[in-house]
Amino acid sequence: MLESVRARLALWHAATLGVLLIAFAAVAYAYTARSTLRRTDEYLRQSAGAFADALRDEREEVATNADAASETVKEIQFGTLRVTVLDSALRPLAASPAPAMIPGEGHGPPLDPAALAAELRRSPRHRPSFFTLADDEGGYRVFVTPLRLEGEPMVLAMEQPLHDRQEALEEARAVLLVSIPLVLLLAWAGGYLLARRSLAPVVAMSERAARLGAANLSEALPVGNERDELGRLAVVFNDLLARLNQSIEQQRQFMADASHELRTPVSILRGEADIALSEPHRAEGEYREALGVVSHEARRLSRIVDDLFLLARADAGQQPLRPGELYLDELAGECVRAVRSLAVRRGIGLSCHAEGELPYRGDEPLLHRLLLNLLDNALKYSRPGGRVRLDLARSDGGYVMRLKDAGPPIGSDAAERIFERFYRVDRARSLEAVSATGGAGLGLPIARWVAEAHGGSLRLARSTAEGNEFEVFLPVGPSSNVER
């Protein structure tokens, strides 16, 4: 492919140059042909004027116009230029020798007088005019102008052979026909070398990229010059590789953590089942106790699987929002009532305050899950006797939900990591804590994803010895208006 790119670049370079060269050569050739013909016409016009003046002077010394014409033609000769004087009936009165009869000056065959007379009959004779009589070697340029000598109308014809001009133009055409292909060939070769040199970094990058795999994505592509286009391409590609490597590492860590989290409930289930089946007969209470443990761990395992499935669909972009009209104040009240029994068992005060009615358009099940995860996290880590407070208020362009708990402070190093999957500040404590949603470390990551999926955000706003404050912002669109 690269070879074809090089060849195409070189071919386009040569084709562009060829079009320009051909256009330039055509214009230059046309200009040369036109300018040489214009100079010939000017020479003919000036020569005709000089001959007419000499003819008038000669007429004063001779008896007839024919004698004046003959004497003037003998006295004035213009090299390759031939002069013919005709009467009003186009009969020749005098003519200079044909160019071929002048020693050292002749070029091509002489002009046929009959052809000249025939053309003169077709051309207007009452005003000066130019025309060309063609032959095999370039033809003749003829200038015809009317004269009046002693009251008698006459015609003066000046003939200039164009054979030298034709030879010069043929030589010019030959030079162009040889030089243009040669220049195009050199241009193609030079363009190919330039393209090959310019695409050398691409070749190096492609060779390095061909050796990359999941195990060595950290290897960067070579960057020749960061300021040119290929250098910027390599930098962008290296950034892409870095993000891809980071994503793969996160997926590996995610799989490892998920395996660890799933192994614990599975081990407990197997252990309880093995103990229950280790003896042929057991008391009813022992069976009920074993089944209670199995049921609890099965629910925990089911919640972990549901969370993993939700995050997997979110990462793949296959978890679309199903927005509907709702009220955030009502939704928050429902979530608070759902965890109130958990708060009572732990001896934690729980309250919810909303700033009036808060109409919103969003995915109600996902928003319910967001609030429930935040409340569960707050109750799980708050100390007994503490208070958990959920406040909802309007803000510029949306709504703000602030959840304050009575848990231990979160260090600055863990302020962002708490939103990572399977991360827990105190792993041992969270596994033992009473929870409505389990303790797999997926609650806060899911809550943040739900907020961001609605165009909002979730962050840890404050962390002190008295407790922590989480803040959720949800923007309000033009359609977030619900009539009760």
Side-chain angles (χ1 to χ4, degrees):
M1 179 180 179
L2 288 176
E3 290 292 338
S4 62
V5 171
R6 295 170 185 168
R8 288 199 301 270
L9 286 175
L11 183 60
W12 275 108
H13 172 72
T16 303
L17 182 60
V19 171
L20 295 176
L21 281 177
I22 292 173
F24 174 78
V27 171
Y29 181 84
Y31 175 79
T32 301
R34 186 178 183 85
S35 62
T36 55
L37 189 62
R38 189 168 53 248
R39 287 195 299 269
T40 300
D41 290 348
E42 186 61 27
Y43 173 63
L44 288 172
R45 188 188 302 274
Q46 293 176 359
S47 301
F51 186 87
D53 293 338
L55 181 60
R56 293 187 184 95
D57 293 339
E58 186 67 27
R59 180 62 180 87
E60 296 177 356
E61 299 178 2
V62 297
T64 64
N65 290 340
D67 294 337
S70 298
E71 292 298 328
T72 305
V73 165
K74 294 177 182 179
E75 294 176 359
I76 299 179
Q77 295 184 1
F78 298 94
T80 59
L81 185 61
R82 183 182 181 187
V83 183
T84 303
V85 182
L86 305 96
D87 60 14
S88 58
L90 299 181
R91 293 187 296 268
L93 299 179
S96 59
M101 299 173 61
I102 302 175
E105 297 291 342
H107 298 276
L111 179 62
D112 185 4
L116 175 61
E119 185 64 32
L120 286 175
R121 292 187 179 93
R122 290 192 298 268
S123 301
R125 298 189 296 276
H126 60 278
R127 57 181 176 82
S129 62
F130 292 94
F131 58 85
T132 301
L133 294 176
D135 62 17
D136 295 336
E137 300 188 23
Y140 288 84
R141 187 67 169 171
V142 180
F143 174 66
V144 178
T145 182
L147 288 177
R148 185 168 291 275
L149 199 60
E150 294 296 327
E152 181 182 351
M154 305 178 66
V155 176
L156 174 62
M158 310 294 292
E159 310 158 13
Q160 172 68 37
L162 299 177
H163 308 129
D164 291 341
R165 174 179 175 274
Q166 180 69 15
E167 291 179 1
L169 293 178
E170 289 177 355
E171 291 176 1
R173 288 197 299 268
V175 170
L176 293 175
L177 291 175
V178 173
S179 60
I180 289 179
L182 181 60
V183 170
L184 291 181
L185 179 61
L186 295 176
W188 182 86
Y192 184 84
L193 293 177
L194 288 176
R196 183 176 182 179
R197 181 179 180 86
S198 300
L199 292 176
V202 178
V203 176
M205 287 189 289
S206 63
E207 292 175 351
R208 179 71 63 86
R211 297 195 297 268
L212 292 178
N216 60 343
L217 283 177
S218 58
E219 296 184 10
L221 299 181
V223 180
N225 183 6
E226 295 184 0
R227 293 185 297 273
D228 63 15
E229 289 79 0
L230 294 179
R232 289 197 294 271
L233 174 63
V235 171
V236 172
F237 199 81
N238 286 336
D239 293 340
L240 174 63
L241 289 177
R243 293 194 299 271
L244 182 60
N245 185 51
Q246 181 181 5
S247 176
I248 291 178
E249 290 297 326
Q250 290 176 349
Q251 291 296 327
R252 288 173 178 169
Q253 186 64 35
F254 179 80
M255 294 299 297
D257 293 338
S259 301
H260 177 77
E261 294 294 337
L262 293 174
R263 182 174 58 186
T264 300
V266 170
S267 299
I268 294 175
L269 289 173
R270 291 185 58 185
E272 289 295 327
D274 291 341
I275 292 175
L277 296 174
S278 62
E279 296 183 8
H281 301 284
R282 287 185 177 272
E284 181 182 350
E286 293 179 350
Y287 280 120
R288 294 184 66 85
E289 181 180 358
L291 289 176
V293 173
V294 170
S295 176
H296 178 270
E297 292 301 323
R299 286 195 299 271
R300 179 167 176 247
L301 181 61
S302 177
R303 285 191 294 268
I304 293 175
V305 172
D306 289 343
D307 290 344
L308 291 175
F309 183 68
L310 174 63
L311 291 174
R313 286 176 60 87
D315 290 341
Q318 298 177 355
Q319 182 64 40
L321 296 182
R322 295 178 175 85
E325 308 297 343
L326 57 95
Y327 283 89
L328 290 178
D329 54 312
E330 292 182 354
L331 182 65
E334 294 175 2
C335 293
V336 169
R337 287 191 294 272
V339 298
R340 191 174 297 279
S341 60
L342 178 61
V344 171
R345 287 200 303 270
R346 299 208 59 194
I348 298 173
L350 180 61
S351 62
C352 177
H353 301 274
E355 188 181 280
E357 296 180 353
L358 305 177
Y360 186 71
R361 180 174 177 81
D363 191 316
E364 185 171 356
L366 290 180
L367 291 173
H368 186 276
R369 193 164 192 170
L370 179 151
L371 289 172
L372 196 61
N373 285 358
L374 290 178
L375 288 168
D376 177 74
N377 186 75
L379 293 174
K380 182 167 57 178
Y381 286 105
S382 292
R383 55 184 175 273
R387 290 195 60 82
V388 173
R389 178 186 176 96
L390 177 61
D391 295 316
L392 294 86
R394 298 178 183 273
S395 180
D396 294 338
Y399 300 125
V400 174
M401 297 184 290
R402 295 184 176 89
L403 181 65
K404 302 176 183 178
D405 62 30
I410 300 174
S412 58
D413 57 336
E416 278 298 319
R417 295 201 63 193
I418 59 175
F419 297 103
E420 295 179 4
R421 300 170 186 180
F422 300 107
Y423 179 81
R424 289 186 291 269
V425 179
D426 189 347
R427 180 177 292 269
R429 176 185 168 188
S430 64
L431 285 173
E432 297 171 359
V434 178
S435 174
T437 61
L442 296 176
L444 289 180
I446 291 176
R448 170 172 274 190
W449 173 80
V450 173
E452 292 177 347
H454 285 80
S457 62
L458 168 61
R459 67 186 183 96
L460 177 63
R462 184 174 57 87
S463 181
T464 63
E466 288 76 17
N468 306 293
E469 179 180 333
F470 288 86
E471 180 181 282
V472 179
F473 174 76
L474 295 176
V476 177
S479 62
S480 294
N481 296 311
V482 183
E483 297 295 336
R484 284 191 182 276

